[in-house]
Amino acid sequence: RLGLERADTAEKALTVIVDLLEKYGQGGNCMESHMVFTYHNSFLIADRKEAWVLETSGKYWAAEKVEGGVRNISNQLSITTKIDREHPELKEYAKSKGWWDGEKEFDFAATYSYVNTARMTTSRGRYCEGYKLLNKHKGSITSEIMMEILRDKESGINMEGGFMTTGSMVSVLPQQPNLPCIHFFTGTPDPAR
């Protein structure tokens, strides 16, 4: 929200978010229950001309500029070796912890999490299922198709049970500045409604 408030481009919003992350860190409970459950965050940041994926691990972060096609985020780190901006100490911290030897190519998701990045798009999970659904419609995604994808319960994208999806948003951002941007939000906790 602060990125939207303080920036007029996607890249400037990225800068706002990482500046706040470095100053204040992140945290807070993900649930309203008494169970303590926290996690790091991922963001899709887009304007009419460009889009970025920002992923965080504590105060450390990596950002990838989306160059085309489709891109999704979910409940795991997904930025691998294409890193366009990063925390200035990202790699040094990984080396100091013994997570990266400084020799092989740096892979953010593999280094800062348990994810086997070679299997991210083939093993069943929310990230993989979202990737498949987006690629199935690549080149012909409309707001209606995107809403259909976000309603999908079988894939786990629209979660139900102990952890529930509490809302979804679809935005249409025409490149022509004379056309309005349109944003659709769910009005209930369940995007299937």
Side-chain angles (χ1 to χ4, degrees):
R1 284 179 260 164
L2 295 174
L4 288 170
E5 174 189 297
R6 299 176 185 182
D8 60 358
T9 68
E11 189 168 13
K12 288 179 185 174
L14 169 70
T15 300
V16 167
I17 295 167
V18 298
D19 287 350
L20 291 168
L21 177 66
E22 288 180 21
K23 186 172 183 179
Y24 298 105
Q26 62 181 318
N29 204 6
C30 305
M31 304 175 71
E32 292 182 10
S33 72
H34 296 290
M35 182 177 93
V36 176
F37 180 72
T38 62
Y39 60 87
H40 306 290
N41 292 284
S42 296
F43 303 87
L44 289 171
I45 308 165
D47 62 30
R48 292 175 187 263
K49 296 183 179 165
E50 66 181 6
W52 289 82
V53 174
L54 168 65
E55 295 183 335
T56 66
S57 178
K59 73 174 188 174
Y60 300 97
W61 56 271
E64 174 189 339
K65 186 173 183 180
V66 179
E67 301 292 346
V70 295
R71 184 66 166 80
N72 65 313
I73 59 174
S74 190
N75 52 339
Q76 67 185 49
L77 297 178
S78 63
I79 295 175
T80 57
T81 58
K82 185 187 180 304
I83 300 172
D84 297 298
R85 288 184 55 188
E86 66 190 55
H87 185 282
E89 299 166 10
L90 180 74
K91 292 175 184 168
E92 277 307 309
Y93 183 72
K95 276 175 69 174
S96 75
K97 291 294 196 179
W99 301 337
W100 178 60
D101 63 9
E103 299 294 323
K104 66 181 178 186
E105 185 174 30
F106 184 80
D107 181 322
F108 178 66
T111 303
Y112 275 80
S113 70
Y114 58 87
V115 171
N116 176 343
T117 56
R119 296 185 61 226
M120 282 192 320
T121 58
T122 58
S123 61
R124 183 146 169 84
R126 291 178 76 212
Y127 179 82
C128 176
E129 295 302 311
Y131 178 85
K132 286 182 198 173
L133 288 168
L134 288 171
N135 277 287
K136 176 181 171 185
H137 299 286
K138 189 174 179 179
S140 62
I141 295 176
T142 63
S143 54
E144 292 83 6
I145 288 173
M146 197 63 225
M147 289 176 201
E148 180 183 314
I149 290 170
L150 292 171
R151 287 183 182 114
D152 194 287
K153 291 190 183 212
E154 185 179 330
S155 67
I157 290 171
N158 183 7
M159 293 174 59
E160 56 187 351
F163 293 99
M164 295 183 66
T165 299
T166 57
S168 293
M169 173 182 161
V170 174
S171 294
V172 179
L173 308 173
Q175 291 184 332
Q176 304 87 339
N178 61 319
L179 296 176
C181 295
I182 303 167
H183 308 281
F184 299 93
F185 298 88
T186 52
T188 67
D190 182 353
R193 294 186 190 151

